[in-house]
Amino acid sequence: MMSDVKITLLPFADLSGYTEGFTIVSAQWGHDGLAYVLLMNEVPARKQGMFVQTALEQQYTYKVLVASEDYIEEIVIPEQQYFYHYVQPLHDDLLLVGARAAYYGREQYDRNARVWSREGVEIRDFLLGDGIQNVQVSRKGTIWVSYFDEGVYGNYGWSDPVGASGLIAWDSKGNIRYKNTAALIDDCYALNVVNEKEIWFYYYSDFQLGHITNGVHTESSQVAFIHPGISGSSGFCTDGENFLFEAGYDKHGTSFQFKTLDTSGQLSTGKVIEFVNEEHGSLQYVRQDCRKDRLLLCTEQALYVVTLEEVQAMLE
């Protein structure tokens, strides 16, 4: 029987001065340990109430907040007619990516990745495929992309979907450097790019945890698998020995599970953790992200951060 533990988190960064008139689209860790928050002045309605738009009929304004404990940098990208969902640092620039990309015909499709300067100037665009679940960029500029089921099996006009393998690494110009061949991925639920050579991923339908070592060098890359004993988790952080999983099906947005790798290579049953805010109320976050050994929780007004080392210390 897993025991429940409540852990209080204090705000890492106050977003209240930047959110008026904007909606938070995503909040992600960068490889640099900074938090990158993407905001939009209005979220476009779905087509026929069902399909996420790609190219938009009117112009929208985006903001990117780059947050540390000491400062928040604000970058405005106005007059855009594409629906972006993710932002990552790419060398000295920013990469904005839309989760959806429609195929219209031969060599005609949405280029759903765009590189911007920190001054808000567009540099280049390229295709990363439709049905993107997550995007994480390494320090050297390798773009790791995981895909959900529509990206794997095809929709939005794609009969031969780019993301059929479920997990791809691209270079900074949009060329494929690595493609998953080790796992049969129907839906890649979660991704954690630790560094250039170490990448973790968690996927359906087996609900296994894949661990890539040696990175994008296909000839020397190795993939090992662990059964984590959790179904439907949307994210996890790890230091290689300890894991913090979002709790999975029927528990999204409510709790996490802390697990430890034992000597047999299996994960422990673990402990259920609920994070609470500084007022000891349930932490109502709207976005989350996991990278390396750190969890990022984003509410409408603030960012909260916790490391595995801090969680482990609180459990002792």
Side-chain angles (χ1 to χ4, degrees), residues 79-294:
E79 300 178 354
Q80 295 305 298
Q81 288 187 261
Y82 199 83
F83 193 2
Y84 301 114
H85 299 87
Y86 308 102
V87 60
Q88 285 282 277
L90 180 63
H91 301 308
D92 295 328
D93 303 312
L94 295 174
L95 174 70
L96 269 64
V97 178
R100 308 310 307 249
Y103 180 85
Y104 306 106
R106 184 176 177 83
E107 298 301 318
Q108 295 181 322
Y109 43 75
D110 293 317
R111 289 169 171 79
N112 57 328
R114 284 178 174 78
V115 180
W116 299 83
S117 73
R118 298 289 177 124
E119 292 71 41
V121 177
E122 183 176 351
I123 298 171
R124 62 182 178 276
D125 62 9
F126 46 88
L127 173 72
L128 288 180
D130 180 48
I132 292 176
Q133 178 69 32
N134 205 339
V135 180
Q136 293 187 3
V137 178
S138 72
R139 185 174 300 277
K140 292 185 178 180
T142 303
I143 305 166
W144 285 90
V145 179
S146 63
Y147 300 85
F148 57 84
D149 53 359
E150 292 184 29
V152 172
Y153 293 105
N155 200 354
Y156 282 58
W158 295 94
S159 58
D160 183 18
V162 173
S165 68
L167 179 67
I168 298 176
W170 308 75
D171 69 15
S172 61
K173 302 294 178 62
N175 301 300
I176 293 177
R177 299 189 63 198
Y178 176 94
K179 185 180 292 187
N180 161 60
T181 58
L184 182 58
I185 297 175
D186 293 316
D187 193 323
C188 195
Y189 276 38
L191 175 68
N192 190 328
V193 177
V194 175
N195 53 45
E196 296 297 327
K197 294 187 176 182
E198 184 178 4
I199 299 90
W200 296 81
F201 62 98
Y202 168 80
Y203 65 96
Y204 177 85
S205 60
D206 291 338
F207 288 128
Q208 288 201 94
L209 192 61
H211 183 203
I212 301 172
T213 52
N214 293 329
V216 298
H217 302 291
T218 306
E219 65 280 358
S220 59
S221 293
Q222 296 180 354
V223 186
F225 295 94
I226 300 171
H227 287 284
I230 188 168
S231 299
S233 177
S234 62
F236 65 93
C237 46
T238 182
D239 59 10
E241 296 182 0
N242 302 293
F243 295 79
L244 184 67
F245 284 89
E246 191 273 339
Y249 290 146
D250 301 324
K251 297 178 182 178
H252 293 308
T254 63
S255 60
F256 291 78
Q257 288 188 25
F258 180 85
K259 293 172 173 279
T260 300
L261 189 66
D262 62 27
T263 54
S264 68
Q266 300 300 312
L267 293 185
S268 64
T269 301
K271 295 183 179 179
V272 175
I273 296 172
E274 179 188 351
F275 293 110
V276 296
N277 60 26
E278 58 274 28
E279 298 174 348
H280 306 293
S282 179
L283 211 166
Q284 301 295 315
Y285 57 91
V286 295
R287 297 289 182 266
Q288 69 173 48
D289 193 41
C290 299
R291 187 80 181 262
K292 304 178 183 179
D293 63 344
R294 305 171 79 199

